[in-house]
Amino acid sequence: MGESDFIAALKALASDPAARGLDDDAAVLELGSETLVLTHDVLVEGVHVRTDEDAADVAWKLVAVNLSDLAAKGAQPIGVLLGHMLGEGDARFIKGLREVLEAHDVPLLGGDTVRGSGPRSWGCTAIGRATHTPVPDRRNARAGDGVFVTGTLGRAMLGFEAADRDSDHALAYRRPSPLIAEGIALAPHVSAMMDVSDGLLLDCFRMAQASDISIDLDSSRFPVADSDMRDECVRWGDDYELLFTLPPETPLPVPATLIGKVGGDDLAPLWVDGEMIFPKDGIGYQH
Amino acid sequence: MGESDFIAALKALASDPAARGLDDDAAVLELGSETLVLTHDVLVEGVHVRTDEDAADVAWKLVAVNLSDLAAKGAQPIGVLLGHMLGEGDARFIKGLREVLEAHDVPLLGGDTVRGSGPRSWGCTAIGRATHTPVPDRRNARAGDGVFVTGTLGRAMLGFEAADRDSDHALAYRRPSPLIAEGIALAPHVSAMMDVSDGLLLDCFRMAQASDISIDLDSSRFPVADSDMRDECVRWGDDYELLFTLPPETPLPVPATLIGKVGGDDLAPLWVDGEMIFPKDGIGYQH
């Protein structure tokens, strides 16, 4: 059974809209007068984090990528649960965990620690409370909307092999910042929103497909960290910026860059400078 | 850093009562007018499940052990999230997952699928809504209470190596039933409650320690599946029955067996037939 077949079978088990929580957006759950947002991400040694990664950075990233999923829903985090496989660097893991929880004022609610052998994996479930309903998702971009992205892309890529572990770029890679406040500010205004975890182009493609529209990007507008590596900066991923669409005339609620517009083209979901681009062209990190 | 040091460090990061969610009871979270119960358990191939286990049974057990943690809180499940490492038997995994979700009418909300190598691990987060507050936990057993356990102990142990995969005992091992309805019926009445996942004796020891009382058990009362293996039946674990204490004179809300009483002894937490018993005596599955 291939990965995509497996995910399709899983989605068939989940009732829409819950299915959105599978490898896509976080799940949304109505509970009394509250709306919960739930996400679960797993990091695997050698796949998502280097085998020589500082365990403090693994802990930070594990929590931060889940909080980023909440941010894309405009949700206020209310807690995390961890699944931790014991091993090397556990004292560093605790240090990084303390730092990321304190930095975002999120309580550790619980979890499980297990023994294992071979490459380690770590799971994190983050729970948040929606601050705006309907909760934004990637499926509602509309023709005529502007396409925006926060921040600067490619910082994590440049930081991945940076010699100075404490440079801004290195920290962007090691210690990504989930944009929780920005997500909350954007939620009432956006037509669609998601975080950019796997590269701007791939995530734009996904948003366009999910919304059944096309996205036309102008590459000269991409806010990249290194203009000599423009292409790499929008394909590498790990930046955890927010990608969103806004109806025309809507004032921008947070600083962001207009990078294109939503069209209704049905030939292809993604266009860059007038050319169709597909995932098979290697436009991002597919896992 | 040893396992117990790591868990202690984790607990120091979590604020009480949230800390209870770490390897102990599920976490309890007030949210508006609702009380959420959250639990996260990880199964590791070769540690918690045999390497040759049918993936359908792995999926069942993964969800069932988490639902059992909710049952011990008297919580009604509202959904699960999964962390799944792709590999052999994924079609069987989907089958078992569908079966356990349908059997307990629990929706799949989301999760993550990852590639990995080496022994696989699976994580599950279960979310429930408390049906009674205060939510029961293991910490409130009181001197004078009766100590009770549901069902019959040792069935999973007998089923572990059963030749007939479809015998009652084999199903008790492969397809444990979380006692959700029983937990809900018990929640308003118990002084303390937890599930028996690691063996009756070890879990009694833990309840006694957490409640700062002693538990005095009468081994002749143990409801065991094989009276020739009385000792093994109360040490092997994996039964997912409910262990609880009731104040004197409280009518029994569900069928269960009185196995002892709560005392105030401060010499040792656990006594069986008048003798002190400790975890170092090998009284259960410690992971």
Side-chain angles (χ1 to χ4, degrees):
Chain A
M1 188 173 213
E3 178 169 355
S4 57
D5 290 342
F6 181 80
I7 293 171
L10 267 187
K11 291 199 182 196
L13 289 188
S15 57
D16 194 16
R20 284 180 282 161
L22 293 161
D23 282 321
D24 293 345
D25 292 345
V28 176
L29 187 66
E30 307 286 335
L31 184 72
S33 59
E34 299 283 346
T35 301
L36 288 181
V37 179
L38 300 130
T39 178
H40 180 76
D41 273 328
V42 179
L43 298 182
V44 180
E45 194 177 26
V47 179
H48 308 93
V49 296
R50 292 183 290 198
T51 52
D52 63 349
E53 204 93 48
D54 178 357
D57 292 340
V58 172
W60 180 288
K61 191 169 281 193
L62 177 66
V63 173
V65 299
N66 278 284
L67 296 183
S68 180
D69 284 333
L70 297 188
K73 296 294 198 188
Q76 180 69 50
I78 52 180
V80 298
L81 292 94
L82 290 190
H84 177 82
M85 198 172 284
L86 297 158
E88 287 291 307
D90 276 346
R92 293 286 305 163
F93 188 92
I94 291 286
K95 182 172 192 295
L97 182 62
R98 178 186 303 115
E99 288 166 349
V100 71
L101 295 174
E102 285 179 2
H104 301 289
D105 197 20
V106 178
L108 176 64
L109 299 178
D112 196 12
T113 57
V114 293
R115 286 169 291 137
S117 56
R120 295 163 75 194
S121 62
W122 299 267
C124 178
T125 300
I127 302 115
R129 168 195 269 136
T131 59
H132 183 268
T133 55
V135 175
D137 67 46
R138 65 180 63 186
R139 303 190 301 180
N140 292 307
R142 301 281 158 77
D145 291 350
V147 180
F148 298 84
V149 67
T150 59
T152 305
L153 303 165
R155 293 169 65 233
M157 176 189 76
L158 295 174
F160 179 65
E161 294 194 318
D164 176 2
R165 278 175 48 83
D166 296 318
S167 68
D168 280 356
H169 290 159
L171 288 171
Y173 172 75
R174 294 171 46 220
R175 303 279 170 127
S177 286
L179 301 178
I180 295 164
E182 290 82 350
I184 291 172
L186 285 163
H189 308 288
V190 298
S191 44
M193 182 155 64
M194 61 190 287
D195 69 338
V196 184
S197 53
D198 296 333
L200 177 68
L201 296 188
L202 181 56
D203 287 327
C204 281
F205 184 90
R206 290 170 172 163
M207 179 181 280
Q209 268 202 322
S211 296
D212 200 22
I213 46 79
S214 63
I215 285 181
D216 305 294
L217 298 176
D218 175 352
S219 71
S220 70
R221 292 176 173 270
F222 293 161
V224 293
D226 182 343
S227 56
D228 292 336
M229 300 179 72
R230 183 166 294 272
D231 244 37
E232 292 84 348
C233 287
V234 294
R235 290 162 196 256
W236 205 83
D238 252 4
D239 282 312
Y240 304 102
E241 297 294 343
L242 293 174
L243 170 67
F244 58 94
T245 56
L246 279 184
E249 321 299 330
T250 306
L252 202 53
V254 303
T257 305
L258 177 69
I259 56 172
K261 64 180 196 303
V262 177
D265 196 292
D266 54 7
L267 270 179
L270 181 63
W271 301 72
V272 179
D273 303 334
E275 299 202 9
M276 293 183 265
I277 306 274
F278 294 95
K280 66 176 170 51
D281 301 327
I283 59 176
Y285 178 74
Q286 298 187 57
H287 53 101
Chain B
M1 188 174 212
E3 179 169 353
S4 57
D5 289 342
F6 180 80
I7 293 172
L10 268 187
K11 291 199 181 195
L13 288 187
S15 56
D16 193 18
R20 284 180 281 161
L22 292 161
D23 281 321
D24 293 345
D25 292 345
V28 176
L29 188 64
E30 308 285 337
L31 185 71
S33 57
E34 299 282 347
T35 301
L36 288 180
V37 178
L38 300 130
T39 178
H40 180 76
D41 273 328
V42 178
L43 297 182
V44 181
E45 194 178 25
V47 179
H48 308 94
V49 295
R50 292 184 290 197
T51 51
D52 63 350
E53 204 94 47
D54 178 358
D57 293 340
V58 172
W60 180 289
K61 192 170 278 191
L62 178 66
V63 173
V65 300
N66 279 284
L67 296 184
S68 180
D69 284 333
L70 297 188
K73 295 295 198 187
Q76 180 69 50
I78 51 181
V80 297
L81 292 95
L82 290 190
H84 177 83
M85 198 171 285
L86 296 158
E88 288 290 308
D90 276 347
R92 293 286 305 164
F93 187 92
I94 290 287
K95 182 171 191 297
L97 182 61
R98 179 187 303 115
E99 289 165 349
V100 70
L101 294 174
E102 284 178 3
H104 300 290
D105 196 20
V106 179
L108 176 65
L109 298 177
D112 196 11
T113 56
V114 295
R115 286 169 291 136
S117 56
R120 295 162 76 193
S121 61
W122 298 268
C124 178
T125 300
I127 303 114
R129 167 196 269 135
T131 59
H132 183 266
T133 54
V135 174
D137 67 46
R138 64 181 63 187
R139 303 190 302 180
N140 291 308
R142 301 281 159 77
D145 290 350
V147 180
F148 297 83
V149 68
T150 59
T152 305
L153 302 166
R155 294 169 66 233
M157 176 189 75
L158 296 174
F160 179 66
E161 294 193 319
D164 177 2
R165 277 175 48 83
D166 295 318
S167 68
D168 280 357
H169 290 159
L171 287 170
Y173 172 75
R174 295 170 46 221
R175 303 279 171 127
S177 286
L179 301 178
I180 296 164
E182 290 82 350
I184 291 172
L186 285 163
H189 307 289
V190 298
S191 44
M193 181 155 65
M194 62 190 286
D195 69 338
V196 184
S197 54
D198 295 333
L200 176 69
L201 297 188
L202 181 56
D203 286 327
C204 281
F205 184 91
R206 289 170 172 162
M207 179 181 278
Q209 268 202 322
S211 296
D212 200 22
I213 46 79
S214 63
I215 286 180
D216 304 294
L217 298 176
D218 175 351
S219 71
S220 70
R221 292 176 173 271
F222 293 160
V224 293
D226 182 342
S227 57
D228 292 337
M229 301 179 73
R230 183 167 294 273
D231 244 37
E232 293 84 346
C233 287
V234 294
R235 290 163 196 256
W236 205 84
D238 253 3
D239 283 312
Y240 304 102
E241 298 294 342
L242 292 174
L243 169 67
F244 58 94
T245 55
L246 279 184
E249 321 299 332
T250 306
L252 203 53
V254 303
T257 305
L258 176 69
I259 56 172
K261 64 179 197 302
V262 177
D265 196 293
D266 54 6
L267 271 179
L270 181 63
W271 300 73
V272 179
D273 304 333
E275 298 202 10
M276 293 183 266
I277 305 275
F278 294 94
K280 67 176 169 50
D281 301 325
I283 59 175
Y285 179 73
Q286 297 186 57
H287 53 102

